[in-house]
Amino acid sequence: NMVMMAGYELPSSAIREQIASAIDIIVQQSRMGDGSRKIVKIVEVTGREADVIQTQDIFEFVQTGVGENGKIEGYYTATGNIPYFIEEQRRRGVLRLNMDVFVPKA
């Protein structure tokens, strides 16, 4: 919408392609039932197929309940998907990361 409002005459497929190639990670934050805000999902943008931007979940918040004080309880876990850019960063020596962070909690 912002591109179209700027007056550029680009087809929507070109706009989607630019978005898919420019964004690597999306961090989704939500307001929970207790009023707190939590990061609920971290998603990697993997590309585009036809007119659909492809993503894969990397981490997510799993709500386990509500505590006695009304606070949302839960934990963060990996989905088992390893972001595509991680291996490239490790190869270049830019990133030193224990790959266990991508192993889902049981």
Side-chain angles (χ1 to χ4, degrees):
N1 284 340
M2 290 173 57
V3 173
M4 291 178 195
M5 287 173 29
Y8 293 108
E9 298 291 329
L10 291 174
S12 60
S13 61
I15 296 168
R16 284 188 184 99
E17 181 64 35
Q18 288 183 346
I19 291 170
S21 67
I23 298 175
D24 292 321
I25 296 288
I26 297 170
V27 178
Q28 179 184 349
Q29 175 183 317
S30 294
R31 184 180 299 274
M32 307 304 283
D34 63 359
S36 68
R37 294 180 188 268
K38 293 198 183 311
I39 293 173
V40 294
K41 198 168 279 203
I42 298 177
V43 178
E44 177 185 30
V45 177
T46 59
R48 188 175 70 97
E49 195 170 297
D51 279 348
V52 178
I53 295 176
Q54 302 294 307
T55 62
Q56 70 172 353
D57 294 348
I58 306 299
F59 297 103
E60 62 186 0
F61 177 75
V62 178
Q63 182 176 340
T64 57
V66 179
E68 290 179 19
N69 58 1
K71 292 284 186 188
I72 299 293
E73 296 177 342
Y75 61 93
Y76 294 94
T77 187
T79 61
N81 296 322
I82 299 173
Y84 292 117
F85 67 85
I86 291 290
E87 190 55 41
E88 177 187 337
Q89 298 295 316
R90 290 182 73 213
R91 235 186 355 261
R92 292 177 35 207
V94 176
L95 181 65
R96 292 187 184 125
L97 177 68
N98 182 344
M99 297 301 283
D100 289 345
V101 300
F102 298 111
V103 176
K105 291 182 181 177

